[in-house]
Amino acid sequence: MTSTKSATDVLRPYLLVVPDYQRGYAWEEQHVQEFLEDIHLLEPGKDHYTGTIVLLNGNEALVDDESHALLYAEVVDGQQRLTTVCLLLNEIRRALVAAGQDRAAKGLKQQFLITTKDGVPLHKLRIGSDGLPTWTALLQDQPVKPPETLSGRRLLRAAEQIRKHLAGLTAEVAEPVTILTGLRDVVITRLRFTVHALDQHAEVGVIFETLNDRGKPLTELEKVKNYLLFLAARLPAAPQNALAAKINTAWSQIYRLLLEVAMVSPAGEDQFLRAHWLAAVDPLPMRWKGTKSVKKQFPRERYVQQPDLLGTEIGAYVDSLARAAQAYADCLRPDTQAFSDFGTTAMQVRALQQDLIRAGTVAAFLPLFIALRERGPQDGELYREALDLCVRFAVRTYLIGGYRADAGQTRLYRLAHAVYGGKRDPSTVGKALRRLTSEYAGDAYVREALLETEYNWYRWGALKYFLYEYELHLLNGAKPDLDYAFFAKTKREKTIEHILPQTATSPYWTQRFSKEQLRGLVHTLGNLVLTRDNSAYSNKDFPDKRGAAGPNIPKKPCYAQAPLVQEQELAPLEDWTPQQILARQQRLADWAVQHWAVDFTDLDEGGEPTDEPPSGADEDSLDYEAAELLTAEAVTNDANSAGAAGTP
């Protein structure tokens, strides 16, 4: 049944409940401001259409202490508008109390906000549990504790925004009560809603699917929570409450870790959900379709006759997701609190994780890290070994080798899934990673890539990272002059010095380099050095750039007095020639192979399957357990596309 009703028609005869499968309060400052402006600009005698509300009528009813008959109803859609209306009425009530209008404030509260049954307070609109503590405190004039949830923080901000708005309306007016009561009357009589009243849960299921993507876009993580709570709402009261509590507790922990610890964007929330799914449920990335995959894994039809199975399966999934959130947050924000269960190994793991972050290659390994934490939550040494090999694989394969960002990912995901599900001993992960590295980026391949002289290394995406790691090597444990963040955020033109200048026209350079060498060697790796301020060197000759250092030598920008060791390393050289450039590039290549060394000696030639799909196979329909997997073809195919990401 559909009808148009006022806020009074919606709030007075009902006890409304926002089920936990609905999203929490989501309105931000702009939404609240537009709502308040719409009311303020409403012409006298006109009504304002506020939106649609969908209610599922319940069978329970009660008579409150004021002898009003009230019917329970579930808010299927429209809770954002209803919640904001109630927030506004509550702030009007508070302002009336402050103006000495206790009777008017009491009537407003009893009819629209909180009634009582046998002296027990009952919310006229009871919102979901993730914002309920803040909501209750606001309505009952209790001290508001700092909200732990995002919806709670939004509720508090909206209440404070409305409070400030009312203060502005009543400031310096002769009759503030008239302003307040007039606004109250507008809200309860002239805001109009299109109300759809449903009588069957089956209709709710259809509408839930339709409405879930409306309004402010939801992240996949929010959609999954809503769907799981929707499933839980189909259970009998006791198990429903238990499962809903588990879901809400888990999501509270997940959001705290993702938003407050890892400080991820909505895209980061979706990345987390995907990484967990690849490890725990299905390692094939092409089959991950966000919430659709979760619905397919946990279809509501399966639980109609098996409610106990619903509690078991959903409960296990939710618990594993909450554990994975800790692993994910530690990976993205390896501060002093991260990896605390690893004891004395934690510091080493944090340093390695920071190294992987600097390399910009964390995403490919997230499912594996989640799997290792699931199987060995306190095994810091096993995790450290795997993480160290992941860093080496990433640098050799993606940064130096120039493979696409998805190279080897299918195998990494399969490895993670096997470890997570107990089909593979975590202690074998190290050997699997070393084999993967040998197939993609063996020593000869890495050295050959770094010795390339025709490539424009100045445009290499990993140049700053590479040279910063070289700086750390030269420091031999000493603290660097500047953190990597400085070089990452500062323009390349300021932080990368061409020893042979890009514009080399003086006799010094033209006598030592042919025209072909001036063009061909200027952007080679051996001619580039990390610096704090490249502009200080400009197009000077090498002796001027080199300079000198000593107690009686004036301070000036030069290699000898530079803060970076790799610049100081150039100062003892008498000259800078084509031979010096090539020799330095050779030294850098030798250093890199040793710095990111991997032990391949115990890898037999037969090896183990690569977990890559057969060439031309449809990954979506492939039975991996029965498939004949390749050992070299996938690597060859990836090698053909090396350099696609703009690396050598």
Side-chain angles (χ1 to χ4, degrees), residues 377-449:
Q378 297 180 318
D379 196 338
E381 182 53 37
L382 179 66
Y383 190 96
R384 186 207 62 76
E385 177 193 359
L387 174 57
D388 180 64
L389 286 168
C390 287
V391 173
R392 295 170 191 270
F393 171 78
V395 174
R396 294 169 71 111
T397 303
Y398 303 135
L399 303 190
I400 297 174
Y403 285 96
R404 297 175 305 188
D406 61 352
Q409 284 190 1
T410 301
R411 293 169 65 179
L412 288 168
Y413 297 159
R414 287 276 294 164
L415 178 62
H417 184 64
V419 170
Y420 194 102
K423 295 180 180 179
R424 180 158 191 160
D425 191 322
S427 65
T428 66
V429 167
K431 187 172 183 178
L433 290 171
R434 288 187 289 115
R435 181 176 302 284
L436 194 64
T437 306
S438 73
E439 294 176 6
Y440 278 97
D443 289 349
Y445 181 88
V446 172
R447 182 176 280 104
E448 182 180 357

Side-chain angles (χ1 to χ4, degrees), residues 122-149:
L122 296 173
H123 292 175
K124 296 303 298 293
L125 175 67
R126 180 183 176 89
I127 69 170
S129 58
D130 57 350
L132 189 58
T134 303
W135 182 248
T136 301
L138 288 169
L139 297 188
Q140 296 186 348
D141 298 325
Q142 299 170 347
V144 181
K145 297 180 180 179
E148 296 182 356
T149 65

Side-chain angles (χ1 to χ4, degrees), residues 1 55 126 186 195 334 577:
M1 183 174 64
L55 302 178
R126 180 183 176 89
V186 168
V195 179
T577 64

Side-chain angles (χ1 to χ4, degrees), residues 104-116:
K106 182 178 179 182
L108 184 59
K109 183 175 183 178
Q110 288 178 338
Q111 294 181 62
F112 298 98
L113 299 171
I114 295 180
T115 187
T116 59

Side-chain angles (χ1 to χ4, degrees), residues 497 499 508 536-537 540-550 553-562 567-575:
E497 148 75 347
I499 307 170
Y508 176 88
Y537 296 118
K540 296 177 181 178
D541 296 342
F542 182 77
D544 291 332
K545 290 186 175 187
R546 179 187 61 205
I553 297 177
K555 296 290 184 181
K556 72 170 188 175
C558 63
Y559 297 150
Q561 300 180 30
E567 292 180 273
Q568 298 172 22
E569 192 179 40
L570 299 169
L573 299 176
E574 292 295 326
D575 218 348

Side-chain angles (χ1 to χ4, degrees), residues 327-346:
Y328 180 84
D330 285 352
C331 288
L332 268 63
R333 192 71 55 175
D335 56 20
T336 55
Q337 303 301 315
F339 305 104
S340 56
D341 290 340
F342 285 170
T344 56
T345 317

